[in-house]
Amino acid sequence: MNYFNNLIEKNFDRILKSSFYISLLSVILFIYDNGFKHNLNDNKWINYVFISSIIFAVITTAFRHIYTKQNIPFAVKVFDLLSVLLFIYVLYRFFFIHSSLSAFTIFLVFIREFSGMQINYGKNVINPARLFIFSFLAIILLGSFLLMLPQATYNGIPYLDALFTSTSAVCVTGLVTLDFSKDFTTFGQSIVLVLIQIGGLGIMTFASYFSYFFRGSSSYQNQLTLSTFTNNNNLGDVFSTVRRIVLITLIIEILGATLIYFTTSSTQLGEKAIFFSIFHSISAFCNAGFSTLPQGLYNPNFQYDYNLQLIISGLIIFGGLGFPIVYNIYKYSIYKIRNLYRKITGKERVQYIPWLLSINSRITLVTTLSLFLLGFISFFIFEYNSSMSNYDLEGKVVQSIFGSITPRTAGFNTIDMAQLSFPMIMIYFLLMWVGASPGSTGGGIKTSTFAVAFLNFISLAKGKDRIEVYRREISNISLRRAFATMILSLLTIGVGIAIMESYESDKGLLSIAFECFSAYSTVGLSLGITPDLSSVSKVVLIFVMFIGRVSMLSILIALLKREKFTGYRYPTEDILIN
């Protein structure tokens, strides 16, 4: 027995790596099994690998708890126990009831084995900005190849369309050059759904969360890198932030899918109701705008489903506010509820915590509400007898709410975009350009950027030499970043419009400009020209979507060498402006 234990301890790392490689092979074979047509004999060997992967997972999970010297968190012990019970149950059903192995089990095994590996981002080799950009590029390319699989589409698609769709999904844009509901199979739509989820949160967020959850620790290098991804300067709170991001996402998406499933009025879905609910919940929360319905939410069977539209509007708002803001609002709400309870009962003194609702949250909420009211009032007035002429008063109110929220990087449409009035299109340009909030799944220049620029205009008009709001002064670096972001965004959009207009002059400048603004801000709305674009224009939009998602500032940071010496100051000179 001692010999057996010593043998396992010596080869412990090899056993874990072997289990990981088998689980990786299982995922590859799962993609092959669903992506290609093959004979029954292949299924037999594929099932053997699946079974081996699950059996190895049970063994290695037990070994981790027996032979690992580190203290394993209680949550991991519970998770592993439930996982082992699930694995045993799946094996029992396979051998004795002859049921098929579920995709969930195969991917759960892979996630568990992958999370047990040591992940090191190598900050000294590649800086966080480059890692962030390369991770998106890798996922986009992988997604494009997966969408080329024979079983992902009904009749096959050109690679450029697969690359466009993958980029649109990973960048959570929603622009499509094909009929997404008719050209892609359920397997292909599932690939897009996974790309949306990964693109909305970032592959590093997922990898870091599961790695830290199962290992219980991480290197200082990884914490520094993740602090850049999560905009968190407190290294000790980095993984708490990542955990909150993942948990908030899962909770809201599950709640959204449940509400969609039980409130959707259409009976046309049948067996696809569950997939429909999950797909639209994730697509809405990640501000992607993809829909499995022909014509999207403008589909005749769902055009007047106001419950569905309001639920999706709520998911878009939560996804667009940003994880730090949502968590800050949650903390502030709990604080207010507790104080209200203390006032009513009189058992405890009312607590006062200053600045619990942070300056970022206040600016973001005020800006978001202001843009929403601008969009809602404008849509109600300009579209009352235009695109909303066939709705009653209740429908017009719901459509105005939805029409104000969706251009803020979501991309769903419940009206015919070609019928939009010119004034509303101009307001859509503004709403799309501003987009969502920092730390969210949405794009655009962000609400805080727009707010800082607006406050700077007011400050200059009042003759102040600094920006003050809520008894706080906005830092100079925030102002510089805001204007750099705005100028770089307009430069990118302008170049995209210029190139596309030279190839698509018959489409009209307004439609082309709308397309580029939508692509950069990862909105996904279109005036109907996307399927008819030339190959050059599709490539341009691919680059614009990618730049809009990762931001031009991040690309410049990744490309330019950082200054080593910054602790000096030259004499200040005023430059003549106006």
Side-chain angles (χ1 to χ4, degrees):
M1 189 66 181
N2 289 333
Y3 173 78
F4 179 73
N5 289 335
N6 291 333
L7 184 65
I8 293 176
E9 288 179 359
K10 287 181 180 179
N11 297 280
F12 186 63
D13 290 337
R14 292 180 181 177
I15 294 172
L16 295 183
K17 287 182 180 178
S18 299
S19 183
F20 165 71
Y21 291 137
I22 293 175
S23 68
L24 177 61
L25 178 61
S26 296
V27 172
I28 294 172
L29 289 177
F30 174 81
I31 294 171
Y32 167 77
D33 187 31
N34 288 272
F36 294 91
K37 294 180 180 179
H38 50 80
N39 55 45
L40 294 176
N41 191 47
D42 290 338
N43 278 340
K44 185 192 301 183
W45 290 103
I46 290 171
N47 284 332
Y48 285 154
V49 177
F50 289 166
I51 294 167
S52 301
S53 175
I54 295 173
I55 292 173
F56 258 88
V58 174
I59 295 171
T60 53
T61 301
F63 282 177
R64 283 191 184 94
H65 289 267
I66 296 172
Y67 296 101
T68 300
K69 296 179 181 179
Q70 296 178 348
N71 185 33
I72 299 176
F74 177 75
V76 179
K77 292 180 180 179
V78 174
F79 180 90
D80 283 344
L81 176 61
L82 295 175
S83 298
V84 168
L85 293 175
L86 173 65
F87 296 156
I88 293 173
Y89 174 71
V90 169
L91 290 174
Y92 165 76
R93 288 183 59 85
F94 179 79
F95 285 112
F96 296 100
I97 305 180
H98 304 291
S99 65
S100 59
L101 295 166
S102 67
F104 173 77
T105 308
I106 296 165
F107 280 92
L108 180 63
V109 169
F110 173 73
I111 291 172
R112 181 62 184 96
E113 297 305 318
F114 172 75
S115 302
M117 305 295 289
Q118 178 66 45
I119 300 174
N120 196 326
Y121 295 132
K123 185 177 172 64
N124 294 330
V125 179
I126 182 170
N127 67 39
R130 291 176 187 170
L131 186 60
F132 176 71
I133 292 169
F134 289 155
S135 67
F136 271 92
L137 279 174
I139 296 299
I140 287 171
L141 291 175
L142 176 61
S144 67
F145 291 128
L146 291 177
L147 291 176
M148 288 296 292
L149 295 174
Q151 297 292 89
T153 55
Y154 287 106
N155 299 308
I157 57 175
Y159 178 72
L160 183 59
D161 288 321
L163 180 62
F164 189 99
T165 304
S166 179
T167 305
S168 183
V170 175
C171 296
V172 290
T173 304
L175 287 174
V176 286
T177 55
L178 305 166
D179 190 330
F180 184 73
S181 63
K182 295 180 180 179
D183 292 327
F184 290 89
T185 63
T186 302
F187 175 64
Q189 291 174 355
S190 299
I191 293 172
V192 171
L193 182 63
V194 173
L195 294 176
I196 290 171
Q197 186 72 89
I198 292 175
L201 297 186
I203 185 63
M204 294 303 166
T205 302
F206 282 108
S208 304
Y209 172 71
F210 288 113
S211 176
Y212 182 77
F213 176 80
F214 288 112
R215 297 180 64 85
S217 61
S218 180
S219 66
Y220 180 70
Q221 263 186 4
N222 289 358
Q223 292 184 54
L224 284 174
T225 305
L226 284 173
S227 66
T228 305
F229 294 150
T230 58
N231 296 314
N232 193 331
N233 296 322
N234 185 359
L235 292 183
D237 196 38
V238 167
F239 284 100
S240 297
T241 303
V242 172
R243 183 179 69 249
R244 285 196 293 266
I245 289 173
V246 174
L247 291 179
I248 287 172
T249 299
L250 292 177
I251 290 171
I252 294 177
E253 287 178 349
I254 291 172
L255 180 61
T258 304
L259 290 174
I260 290 173
Y261 181 81
F262 286 107
T263 60
T264 301
S265 60
S266 177
T267 58
Q268 307 294 322
L269 297 171
E271 296 179 354
K272 294 184 177 181
I274 295 177
F275 182 75
F276 171 88
S277 303
I278 295 172
F279 189 98
H280 285 80
S281 178
I282 294 176
S283 182
F285 180 77
C286 291
N287 282 213
F290 280 88
S291 176
T292 58
L293 298 171
Q295 299 177 281
L297 298 184
Y298 187 56
N299 185 286
N301 295 319
F302 294 84
Q303 188 178 358
Y304 301 98
D305 192 337
Y306 302 142
N307 291 330
L308 174 64
Q309 293 167 18
L310 290 175
I311 291 169
I312 287 181
S313 296
L315 290 168
I316 294 170
I317 291 172
F318 276 111
L321 278 177
F323 304 106
I325 308 301
V326 170
Y327 183 69
N328 192 216
I329 294 172
Y330 164 76
K331 284 173 51 178
Y332 183 75
S333 301
I334 295 297
Y335 161 74
K336 284 293 186 181
I337 291 171
R338 284 176 178 171
N339 274 350
L340 180 62
Y341 175 77
R342 291 186 178 102
K343 278 185 178 180
I344 295 173
T345 59
K347 294 179 180 179
E348 299 179 52
R349 291 175 57 187
V350 175
Q351 289 184 344
Y352 173 70
I353 303 176
W355 286 101
L356 186 59
L357 193 65
S358 68
I359 185 74
N360 282 311
S361 297
R362 298 182 187 204
I363 289 176
T364 297
L365 290 173
V366 170
T367 308
T368 300
L369 180 60
S370 301
L371 291 172
F372 167 74
L373 292 175
L374 171 65
F376 172 78
I377 295 171
S378 301
F379 201 95
F380 191 82
I381 293 173
F382 293 124
E383 301 302 316
Y384 192 91
N385 292 317
S386 181
S387 61
M388 295 195 300
S389 58
N390 57 331
Y391 291 94
D392 56 16
L393 183 60
E394 179 191 2
K396 285 179 167 60
V397 172
V398 174
Q399 297 309 312
S400 298
I401 293 172
F402 196 87
S404 176
I405 292 172
T406 193
R408 304 282 307 289
T409 84
F412 292 101
N413 66 292
T414 54
I415 50 96
D416 185 357
M417 293 295 296
Q419 293 184 12
L420 278 181
S421 61
F422 182 78
M424 198 62 228
I425 292 176
M426 292 295 102
I427 293 172
Y428 263 35
F429 275 122
L430 173 64
L431 296 178
M432 289 192 298
W433 184 54
V434 176
S437 302
S440 71
T441 58
I445 63 170
K446 303 295 189 291
T447 52
S448 57
T449 300
F450 182 74
V452 168
F454 180 79
L455 290 170
N456 184 55
F457 300 151
I458 301 300
S459 178
L460 287 172
K462 291 182 176 180
K464 291 185 176 181
D465 59 355
R466 58 191 178 276
I467 304 174
E468 296 173 337
V469 59
Y470 296 118
R471 302 190 304 277
R472 292 291 186 273
E473 182 179 337
I474 304 298
S475 65
N476 187 47
I477 186 65
S478 297
L479 179 62
R480 290 168 57 196
R481 279 181 173 272
F483 276 92
T485 300
M486 293 170 69
I487 295 301
L488 289 171
S489 71
L490 292 175
L491 180 63
T492 304
I493 293 170
V495 171
I497 292 173
I499 297 174
M500 285 185 63
E501 211 283 329
S502 62
Y503 286 89
E504 312 287 346
S505 57
D506 59 314
K507 303 292 192 301
L509 183 60
L510 184 66
S511 297
I512 293 171
F514 195 94
E515 203 83 3
C516 284
F517 270 89
S518 178
Y520 180 86
S521 299
T522 68
V523 176
L525 291 175
S526 173
L527 296 182
I529 68 171
T530 314
D532 302 322
L533 293 175
S534 64
S535 297
V536 175
S537 296
K538 290 177 184 177
V539 172
V540 170
L541 286 182
I542 287 172
F543 277 101
V544 172
M545 285 190 290
F546 180 76
I547 294 172
R549 181 65 180 93
V550 302
S551 88
M552 193 65 188
L553 195 56
S554 294
I555 295 175
L556 291 177
I557 292 172
L559 294 177
L560 299 180
K561 187 177 180 181
R562 294 183 68 87
E563 289 287 341
K564 294 182 178 179
F565 308 103
T566 57
Y568 63 89
R569 297 293 293 270
Y570 287 124
T572 302
E573 292 284 350
D574 287 332
I575 303 298
L576 292 177
I577 298 175
N578 195 19

